[in-house]
Each structure stands twice: as C-alpha cells, then as structure tokens.
C-alpha cells in the first residue's frame, strides 16, 4: 500500500523464515550472490523502486532497492524483499497421496510398468545399492524403503512412502546375490573407477589454481567465467536441510555438513565429494521455524497414522488372499 513502510509489510506478510530477524532486509549484495531472476530484477531497478512479483525457485518476491554503491570496483545493491511461497492446496496434497495409494494397489495386480504407463507416471530406476546404511541413489536417506527392498521378492511392489518432494512407490527389478562378482562384470567397474579417480585428481589440480582468488573473496561467477578451460561452474542452490539432496550435487554428506558449519558470507575450504570438488559460500541460513513445525505437526501425525493403517490393512489383505480358496465360476454366469 502507498505510504506504508516496506519493512513493516515484510514483517507482516513475508514467508521468508528470516523475516523475524531482518524485516526482509538483505543488506548489500553483488552479482552472483542471488539467484538469477532476483539478481536481474534488483540490479535493473532504480533506487527506491519496488519491482515484482519476481518468480524464483523459492516463490514470488517483491523487491525494494534501498541503495546502490560501488565497492572495490564492484556494483553492490542493498535491497529488501517480501517472499510469498507457492503452497499446494490441502485438497491437492490429499489427491496426490490418494493417487499414489491407488497406483500402489493397482500396480500389484497389473504390473508396475504397465500401471505407470496407464496413469502417466514417470518411472526412474536406481543403480544397484548395498544393504548397509540408509542411502538410496536418487531418493536419499530412507530407512523404511531400504528395509522393504531388502526383504522383498523380485517384482514385489511396495506401499507408498513419503519423501521430501512427494510420494514414491518402489519395486525390486534386480537382486544381485551376495558374494564375489564374475571378472567380466567387475572389470568395467574397476576401469571406470580408475578413470574417475584420475579425472578427480585432474579436477582438484585445476580448481586449486583458483584457490587464492576464492579465499580472497572474489566473485564466484567471475572466477568461473575467467577459466580458460571452462571447467569451473558456479551455481546458487535453493535452501536444503542436513539430510536432503541438493540440486546439481545429489546427496553428499560432505557437502551438506560443510555448508552447515559456515556462517553467512563465509567461504569453505575445498570440499571433496564423490562427484568432484567444491568451494562453498554461504549466502543465507534460516533458523529452525518452530511455529511452522507446530502448524504441520498434526498433518504429519495424521499422515504417519494413515501410512501405518495402510500397511496393516495391506498385510492383512495379502494374508487373507494367500489363505483363501478361490474358485472362478464366472463361466456359469456368462461373465
């Protein structure tokens, strides 16, 4: 509203978890510190101007540019924002969950792949993974799914499982017996591993050429763009938790653990992961939102109860079918 203080409006309406502490103020930032759509809008706006809504992976932003200045030859913008997240309606969440349950039940009868085609669902296959630990490629840490797949028969279909971004249903497509693998299957794996180790050694050697510039606080985007071999890449991640996968990185305990030790603006030492080497600069860290957890607590409790009831019902139903003596008399009724 005209004449109202932008920061007071942010405190009242913004869904950014940090708004309670900063009233939407982001301080000064330079190019490369924010996600691209936000950055472009802020740097193209005039001082005092409010622009938006600007869509990013976090939601929609209204941005007010408070000031602009040059520091060490770099243009910096001071801005505040109001974030409005996109929330799926409860009816939509319930619809997705119900569809997942229907798929799980029908897939047990019609076949996993066929039912996925019928319902237009995407099927993704993981690489082989061991029983040890809770990590599953493409899913992340999930002890319940890991327990199911190592107790299931080939082709067996699970009930639904809740994951960070929705629901999954899994089936076992391959079981590799415990023991030593034949040489013909091990050889390409070892060859690829040796190649990977050599590539990682070269990658480390290359990125360390830029370590002084990184530690001096030079803009990550400019460092990547100045690489004559174009091997360096810079990106800004969305918010992630300690146990979640990171877009473009995957699940990396080393990456996540390092990120959570940093303070805003701090740059990490070189981090080694299975996918390569990274320098991290923490842009923002949000505190635990106890009010949001309290609001979701009952919904989480209800979902867990429903999952437990569904598991008990499915177990009872499968046991009933196994014990039943069924005679098909449909021919007598011309069915």
């Amino acid at each position: 509203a005209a004449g109202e203080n932008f920061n007071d409006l942010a405190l009242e309406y913004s869904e950014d978890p940090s708004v309670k502490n900063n009233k939407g103020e982001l301080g000064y930032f330079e190019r490369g510190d924010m996600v691209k759509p936000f950055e472009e809008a802020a740097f193209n706006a005039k001082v005092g101007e409010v622009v938006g809504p600007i869509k990013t992976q976090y939601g929609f932003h209204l941005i007010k540019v408070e000031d602009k200045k040059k520091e060490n030859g770099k243009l910096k913008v001071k801005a505040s924002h109001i974030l409005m997240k996109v929330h799926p309606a409860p009816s939509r969440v319930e619809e997705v969950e119900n569809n997942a349950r229907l798929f799980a039940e029908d897939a047990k009868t019609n076949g996993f792949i066929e039912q996925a085609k019928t319902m237009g669902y995407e099927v993704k296959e993981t690489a082989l993974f061991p029983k040890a630990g809770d990590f599953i490629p493409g899913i992340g840490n999930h002890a319940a799914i890991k327990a199911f797949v190592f107790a299931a028969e080939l082709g067996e279909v699970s009930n639904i499982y809740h994951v960070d971004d929705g629901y999954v249903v899994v089936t076992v497509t391959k079981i590799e017996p415990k023991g030593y693998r034949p040489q013909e299957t091990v050889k390409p794996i070892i060859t690829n591993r040796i190649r990977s180790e050599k590539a990682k050694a070269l990658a480390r050697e290359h990125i360390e050429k830029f370590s002084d510039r990184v530690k001096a606080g030079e803009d990550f985007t400019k460092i990547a763009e100045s690489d004559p071999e174009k091997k360096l890449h810079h990106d800004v991640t969305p918010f992630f938790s300690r146990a979640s996968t990171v877009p473009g990185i995957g699940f990396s305990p080393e990456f996540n653990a390092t990120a959570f030790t940093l303070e805003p603006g701090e740059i990490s030492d070189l981090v080694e992961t299975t996918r390569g080497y990274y320098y991290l600069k923490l842009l923002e860290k949000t505190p635990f939102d106890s009010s949001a957890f309290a609001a979701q607590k009952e919904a989480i409790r209800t979902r867990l109860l429903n999952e437990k009831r569904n598991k008990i019902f499915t177990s009872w139903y499968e046991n009933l079918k196994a014990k039943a003596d069924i005679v098909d008399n449909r021919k007598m009724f011309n069915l």
Side-chain angles (χ1 to χ4, degrees):
E4 290 199 49
N5 182 278
F6 188 87
N7 298 109
D8 289 340
L9 292 173
L11 189 59
E12 184 174 357
Y13 295 108
S14 181
E15 295 182 83
D16 186 331
S18 64
V19 72
K20 296 174 185 176
N21 302 318
N22 60 22
K23 292 187 176 182
E25 293 183 4
L26 300 173
Y28 284 97
F29 54 88
E30 58 191 58
R31 288 192 179 275
D33 286 345
M34 299 294 180
V35 291
K36 205 66 176 175
F38 191 103
E39 174 189 290
E40 290 300 321
F43 276 85
N44 289 330
K46 298 176 182 178
V47 174
E49 186 178 1
V50 177
V51 293
I54 306 299
K55 184 180 180 182
T56 72
Q57 63 258 49
Y58 306 114
F60 290 90
H61 307 257
L62 291 177
I63 306 168
K64 182 178 181 181
V65 176
E66 309 280 0
D67 189 27
K68 290 186 179 183
K69 68 177 182 178
K70 274 201 171 183
E71 191 174 282
N72 298 324
K74 298 177 182 178
L75 179 63
K76 292 191 174 184
V77 170
K78 182 182 181 183
S80 298
H81 81 134
I82 296 172
L83 171 66
M84 301 301 290
K85 296 181 179 179
V86 179
H87 300 283
S91 58
R92 176 58 181 160
V93 175
E94 186 177 350
E95 179 187 354
V96 170
E97 182 177 355
N98 288 337
N99 285 342
R101 293 189 190 282
L102 287 172
F103 169 79
E105 292 307 313
D106 289 344
K108 292 172 185 177
T109 303
N110 304 331
F112 193 91
I113 301 298
E114 287 304 314
Q115 190 60 34
K117 288 179 181 177
T118 299
M119 298 183 72
Y121 290 161
E122 181 182 9
V123 176
K124 293 183 179 180
E125 188 172 39
T126 72
L128 285 168
F129 53 88
K131 188 175 183 179
D134 294 336
F135 180 71
I136 301 171
I139 294 176
N141 284 346
H142 206 299
I145 297 178
K146 180 68 78 78
F148 166 79
V149 297
F150 277 92
E153 300 291 335
L154 194 65
E156 188 174 344
V157 178
S158 75
N159 297 319
I160 70 168
Y161 293 100
H162 186 263
V163 294
D164 284 345
D165 54 355
Y167 297 92
V168 297
V169 178
V170 301
T171 186
V172 179
T173 58
K174 183 178 181 181
I175 299 175
E176 189 167 286
K178 186 177 180 180
Y180 295 105
R181 297 182 183 180
Q183 183 179 353
E184 60 270 18
T185 63
V186 174
K187 186 176 179 179
I189 295 173
I190 295 175
T191 301
N192 288 336
R193 187 170 296 173
I194 292 172
R195 287 175 180 167
S196 176
E197 290 300 321
K198 287 183 177 179
K200 281 187 69 176
L202 291 172
R204 177 167 192 146
E205 183 181 333
H206 184 72
I207 196 172
E208 285 181 338
K209 296 176 184 177
F210 301 86
S211 61
D212 290 342
R213 294 171 62 186
V214 170
K215 292 175 182 177
E218 190 172 336
D219 179 65
F220 277 21
T221 303
K222 289 182 178 178
I223 295 174
E225 289 175 349
S226 70
D227 178 15
E229 298 182 42
K230 303 301 178 185
K231 292 180 179 179
L232 298 183
H233 301 280
H234 165 256
D235 202 358
V236 179
T237 73
F239 285 105
F240 57 90
S241 67
R242 290 179 185 270
S244 66
T245 57
V246 181
I249 306 295
F251 178 74
S252 170
E254 301 85 3
F255 187 98
N256 291 29
T258 301
F260 275 84
T261 64
L262 301 175
E263 294 300 324
E266 188 178 358
I267 297 171
S268 73
D269 292 328
L270 190 62
V271 178
E272 179 181 358
T273 75
T274 56
R275 297 187 62 171
Y277 293 91
Y278 300 88
Y279 281 110
L280 284 65
K281 180 179 180 181
L282 186 66
L283 302 181
E284 186 177 356
K285 181 187 290 186
T286 60
F288 174 69
D289 192 341
S290 57
S291 60
F293 175 76
Q296 297 178 30
K297 184 177 179 181
E298 189 58 33
I300 294 170
R301 179 177 176 276
T302 301
R303 190 192 75 233
L304 292 175
L305 282 173
N306 287 338
E307 288 181 1
K308 186 175 181 180
R309 288 171 185 152
N310 183 64
K311 186 175 181 180
I312 293 171
F313 173 78
T314 302
S315 177
W316 169 81
Y317 181 64
E318 293 296 330
N319 188 50
L320 186 66
K321 285 200 301 182
K323 292 181 178 179
D325 185 12
I326 300 173
V327 179
D328 188 353
N329 290 321
R330 286 179 293 179
K331 290 182 180 179
M332 296 174 59
F333 301 96
N334 295 319
L335 296 176

